[in-house]
Amino acid sequence: MFKRNDYKATIVSDEEKGSVVGSRWFENGERATYKITPKEGYIVESVFVNGKKVNCTNNTIIVENVNENIEIVVSYISVKESAAFSNLTKTIIFR
C-alpha cells in the first residue's frame, strides 16, 4: 500500500529586499520550483537549500525529487554593493 509522505518547504528571505514564490507542501519525489524576485536595487547574492549552496539561474531554483522537509535561505545584496565588490576584485595594486 502506498503511503503518502508530505514534506514542507520553509523559506527564509528578507521581504524588504525580495520575494520567493513556490509551493510549500510536496509529496515524496515531487519537483520543487521557486521564483525569486529581488526588489528594485537588489540582486540575489546566494541561495541555500538545507545548508547547501545551489545555483540560481534566471532567479529560479529547482529542487528535484523532494524526499524530506526543505529549508530555502535566500540572501540579497544591493546592486551598489555588488558593483563595488566587482570593481574591487578587478583592481590590481602595484607597489
Side-chain angles (χ1 to χ4, degrees):
M1 183 170 129
F2 177 72
K3 179 182 175 191
R4 179 183 166 134
N5 291 311
D6 287 328
Y7 299 109
K8 181 180 180 183
T10 302
I11 298 172
V12 179
S13 172
D14 186 340
E15 293 178 2
E16 291 183 14
K17 296 178 182 178
S19 62
V20 181
V21 176
S23 183
R24 299 290 198 250
W25 290 97
F26 301 93
E27 289 185 37
N28 191 40
E30 281 190 295
R31 170 191 276 187
T33 302
Y34 294 92
K35 179 70 176 166
I36 304 168
T37 306
K39 289 194 176 176
E40 187 174 337
Y42 292 93
I43 58 173
V44 175
E45 179 179 32
S46 62
V47 180
F48 288 82
V49 176
N50 290 349
K52 295 179 183 174
K53 191 170 185 175
V54 297
N55 290 330
C56 181
T57 305
N58 296 323
N59 290 337
T60 301
I61 64 163
I62 297 172
V63 181
E64 298 285 352
N65 194 28
V66 175
N67 60 9
E68 64 182 338
N69 292 331
I70 56 177
E71 179 184 58
I72 299 166
V73 179
V74 180
S75 297
Y76 304 93
I77 188 170
S78 75
V79 174
K80 289 180 184 177
E81 287 179 75
S82 176
F85 180 74
S86 178
N87 288 336
L88 178 64
T89 60
K90 293 177 184 174
T91 303
I92 299 174
I93 300 173
F94 293 96
R95 293 182 189 238

